Amino acid sequence: MTPSDALNQCDTGISLLGGGGHALVVADSLLSAGRSVAGFFDDADDAAIGTPGLSGQCVPSKLGDLESLTARSLAGKPWLVCLGDLKLRRGLIDRLYAAEEDAASVVHPNAIVSEQAVIAGGVFVGPGAVINARARVLDHAIINSGAIVEHDCLIAENAHIAPGAVLGGNVKVGNDTLVGLGSRVLPGVSIGRGCTVGAGTVVLKDLPDGATAVGVW
Ligand code: JB3
């Protein structure tokens, strides 16, 4: 049975691309929001697809199957990239966009998202996250558990705001940048593309593309 055939047997739900810890968190959020998982794609035999409570309601397939991706291989179902590694995510995202598939966004019901915020496609917002007024979260970004994205922030494509990170008002975070666990970014600071902000870092000033910041920057 092809992945497409398997997914066609599920009438609703979202296809999760990845089956590790992050995929489990996303799946929990989906289920909490009363939505369903159409299937997982992952190469590991012991991935989340074997987790009690999830098995039976979703279809496991290999991530490698996406190598031969066509517009039909996800059976027209919305998908969400659920790998934590930003480079792996970027590869899948580019491939799926080329196939013009639709990305879904998942927001945990216990997240607080301002009516004035904008959330693009393929975004995950975890439990306890806060996204305040006029913030914009672009495609495939992750706002992880308990992260705070203050008013007027711009989170670019495939950026990851890790659990417990706090961004003051008007902060900009570039494409493919990781803002690590529990870090703090002062209001108005711009962080470039492809940056890494280490866990617990306090960012006081702008960070250029590709830079790494640790401690107090
Ligand atoms: O810190 C938090 C809250 N979450 C982390 C998340 C953001 O990133 C989490 O703790 C992990 O560090 C990571 O979550 P992820 O990506 O789900 O990691 P892991 O649980 O290790 O699962 C990775 C899955 O990706 C595995 O099931 C692999 O089979 C699959 N995979 C497929 N292709 C691959 C590859 N993994 C790697 N490393 N490389 C591949 O090419």
Side-chain angles (χ1 to χ4, degrees), residues 174-199:
N175 290 353
D176 306 303
T177 280
L178 170 64
V179 178
L181 290 163
S183 50
R184 303 280 186 265
V185 184
L186 260 62
V189 164
S190 289
I191 298 176
R193 299 166 166 245
C195 292
T196 302
V197 175

Side-chain angles (χ1 to χ4, degrees), residues 18-23 25 42-44 47-48 63 82-85 88 142 144-145 160 163 181:
H22 186 59
V25 171
D42 197 288
D43 295 322
L63 254 182
C82 295
L83 299 169
D85 183 284
L88 289 175
I142 302 171
N144 224 324
S145 317
H160 177 192
L181 290 163

Side-chain angles (χ1 to χ4, degrees), residues 140-187:
H140 305 289
I142 302 171
I143 312 299
N144 224 324
S145 317
I148 296 178
V149 174
E150 263 302 341
H151 67 89
D152 297 296
C153 282
L154 174 62
I155 312 301
E157 196 177 293
N158 197 38
H160 177 192
I161 313 303
V166 179
L167 310 185
N170 258 309
V171 165
K172 292 185 175 53
V173 177
N175 290 353
D176 306 303
T177 280
L178 170 64
V179 178
L181 290 163
S183 50
R184 303 280 186 265
V185 184
L186 260 62

Side-chain angles (χ1 to χ4, degrees), residues 58-217:
C58 56
V59 178
S61 304
K62 294 291 184 190
L63 254 182
D65 292 333
L66 294 177
E67 293 297 338
S68 56
L69 186 73
T70 68
R72 294 179 54 211
S73 63
L74 290 175
K77 294 201 162 49
W79 51 275
L80 184 64
V81 179
C82 295
L83 299 169
D85 183 284
L86 294 183
K87 286 202 175 107
L88 289 175
R89 291 173 63 81
R90 168 57 66 190
L92 277 179
I93 290 163
D94 289 348
R95 214 178 311 154
L96 285 155
Y97 270 167
E100 297 182 352
E101 296 278 357
D102 286 332
S105 288
V106 173
V107 178
H108 192 284
N110 292 337
I112 298 172
V113 180
S114 165
E115 297 274 330
Q116 301 170 62
V118 175
I119 308 284
V123 167
F124 173 63
V125 181
V130 177
I131 301 177
N132 259 332
R134 292 188 312 219
R136 284 169 295 156
V137 181
L138 304 189
D139 301 51
H140 305 289
I142 302 171
I143 312 299
N144 224 324
S145 317
I148 296 178
V149 174
E150 263 302 341
H151 67 89
D152 297 296
C153 282
L154 174 62
I155 312 301
E157 196 177 293
N158 197 38
H160 177 192
I161 313 303
V166 179
L167 310 185
N170 258 309
V171 165
K172 292 185 175 53
V173 177
N175 290 353
D176 306 303
T177 280
L178 170 64
V179 178
L181 290 163
S183 50
R184 303 280 186 265
V185 184
L186 260 62
V189 164
S190 289
I191 298 176
R193 299 166 166 245
C195 292
T196 302
V197 175
T201 297
V202 179
V203 184
L204 307 173
K205 59 183 189 290
D206 292 356
L207 194 59
D209 291 349
T212 296
V214 292
V216 178
W217 166 265

